[in-house]
Amino acid sequence: MDHRQTMLATAQGSPAAVAAHDKAAWLALFTDDGIVNDPVGSALHSGSDELSAFYDTFIAPNTVVFHPHHDIVCGDVVVRDVTLEIQMSDAVVLSVPVHLRYEMAGADHIAGLYAHWELPTMIRQMLGKGLAAAPVSLRLTKSLLQNQGLSGSAGFARGFSRVGAREKRAALEHLRTTQPDWTAGKCLAAGRYVTVSMSRAGEHAVAMVEFSGKSITDVTLFTDQ
């Protein structure tokens, strides 16, 4: 495989390890100081111990199926436009739109995994399952406290703080003005970023729009190279 194909295969190894519930294989994909920020806006997990605790909290108890839409390799970054199907119990199955950004350390290892998805939207979806969501919520809370402690639980809750509908509208308007040949699709807000799926005559891209307060400070368009 060439460098691009190897990078993509490495990134795709993450959902493969998740599906197999192979913790060792998942951890081996990252550098020794690798980072997971999931969702973007929450506290970072860095290094093997913290990544191990992340796996035990959010991956091990669930069945996660990745439904990929488009994969983009842009320089040393792999961006995956996916929908996650998360089975938290027989009665609680969630569908979560996500943009996954893998910062690669060479072709064979992941330096940073940044998952752009909307935590409040997912929680509303889970609570919409009614009484079936109660044991799932209790299990998640217990797992957070056991594996992350109070500070880690508070760090996860930081994912609720994000830019909102106003910034989404501003990002889409900016992209319409600066990228008129592209059509915007899925639009997500996580942390201080809005990410948008883009398409143009069979091409696919993901735009990442960064905000400071209500102002756009940076825009990156990840296109396949």
Side-chain angles (χ1 to χ4, degrees), residues 99 118 163-189 192-199 205-211 214-216 218-221:
H99 291 125
E118 300 184 344
V163 296
R166 177 174 178 169
E167 287 75 25
K168 280 186 174 183
R169 291 193 296 270
L172 290 171
E173 180 58 33
H174 180 84
L175 292 171
R176 276 193 291 267
T177 301
T178 60
Q179 307 289 336
D181 294 338
W182 291 87
T183 300
K186 180 170 73 183
C187 181
L188 303 172
R192 65 179 187 275
Y193 297 96
V194 173
T195 53
V196 184
S197 299
M198 308 287 287
S199 60
V206 171
M208 187 171 69
V209 183
E210 183 176 3
F211 285 81
K214 294 182 173 60
S215 301
I216 295 173
D218 189 59
V219 180
T220 304
L221 186 68

Side-chain angles (χ1 to χ4, degrees), residues 119-149:
L119 178 58
T121 302
M122 191 207 78
I123 294 297
R124 284 196 297 270
Q125 188 180 153
M126 185 173 70
L127 294 178
K129 303 295 183 179
L131 291 176
V136 171
S137 299
L138 288 173
R139 187 190 71 200
L140 177 57
T141 300
K142 182 180 179 181
S143 183
L144 269 169
L145 291 171
Q146 285 181 338
N147 296 314
Q148 311 281 333

